Amino acid sequence: PIKPMNGMILIIDDEPGTFGLHKVYFGKRHYGTEVINSVDEAIEFFKEPRFPVDCLIIDIMMPPGSELRDRGVKPGQAGYALIDWLFEQQGKVLGLARFADVPIAIYTQTDASVARSFMDELTKRSALKVSWNVWAKADSGPLGFVSSFLQWFESVRKTRR
């Protein structure tokens, strides 16, 4: 895809319909979006990227796919395992020239406090200073998420300039 004026958002979610409305909303605000529908596809993308990524939106509740299943990841926890894998790579992953500069938005259908605890622990173990935030689908709804996400993403970008 051609890089849009405001940046490219990569959405990793196994339910393609979830982000259909978001893509339209992001597009009207000059953000490009690409949706990847499985953890295996996401790992392949990061190994051989097709475009640069400015932000990740990752659904936590996904099936693990073959690569993560081999590591013992259980269904419904693949989003966590994918984020952990990205941190393990520590920027060695292609497609994220500087992983620490790519904010991560976590979108979960469960309690956001679990995802926040996971990210707190992960960032404590890592030398990387990654910006991240968590949204629970039940708390924000689709349009509330998009509005809140864009405000957060813009504030992260401003503080890094």
Side-chain angles (χ1 to χ4, degrees):
I2 296 170
K3 185 167 175 129
M5 185 175 11
N6 288 328
M8 192 68 184
I9 300 168
L10 180 63
I11 300 167
I12 303 169
D13 189 346
D14 63 319
E15 296 177 31
T18 302
F19 282 97
L21 182 60
H22 297 96
K23 285 182 73 156
V24 171
Y25 195 87
F26 290 142
K28 287 183 178 183
R29 281 144 190 84
H30 306 286
Y31 288 93
T33 55
E34 185 75 21
V35 178
I36 292 178
N37 297 118
S38 75
V39 171
D40 284 342
E41 286 179 59
I43 290 171
E44 287 306 310
F45 170 83
F46 292 123
K47 289 179 179 176
E48 295 184 35
R50 299 181 306 275
F51 53 87
V53 175
D54 298 299
C55 186
L56 294 172
I57 298 175
I58 300 176
D59 178 24
I60 292 299
M61 303 294 287
M62 293 188 292
S66 60
E67 184 151 342
L68 294 180
R69 193 177 313 110
D70 292 345
R71 294 178 169 204
V73 175
K74 299 196 181 344
Q77 297 188 346
Y80 291 121
L82 177 62
I83 294 168
D84 195 48
W85 180 83
L86 287 167
F87 270 77
E88 282 176 15
Q89 301 304 308
Q90 297 211 9
K92 294 177 226 154
V93 178
L94 299 173
L96 300 177
R98 289 198 30 84
F99 175 62
D101 291 339
V102 178
I104 300 173
I106 298 169
Y107 195 60
T108 180
Q109 298 196 30
T110 60
D111 183 2
S113 65
V114 174
R116 284 189 186 97
S117 295
F118 168 80
M119 289 303 293
D120 281 338
E121 285 302 312
L122 189 58
T123 53
K124 283 177 190 173
R125 290 193 327 247
S126 173
L128 297 173
K129 302 295 178 219
V130 175
S131 295
W132 58 271
N133 207 338
V134 176
W135 285 267
K137 188 182 277 189
D139 296 341
S140 58
L143 289 178
F145 163 74
V146 170
S147 176
S148 176
F149 162 77
L150 286 176
Q151 288 175 353
W152 168 75
F153 182 42
E154 286 302 316
S155 72
V156 167
R157 292 177 79 178
K158 285 179 186 171
T159 59
R160 292 188 173 183
R161 288 182 187 154

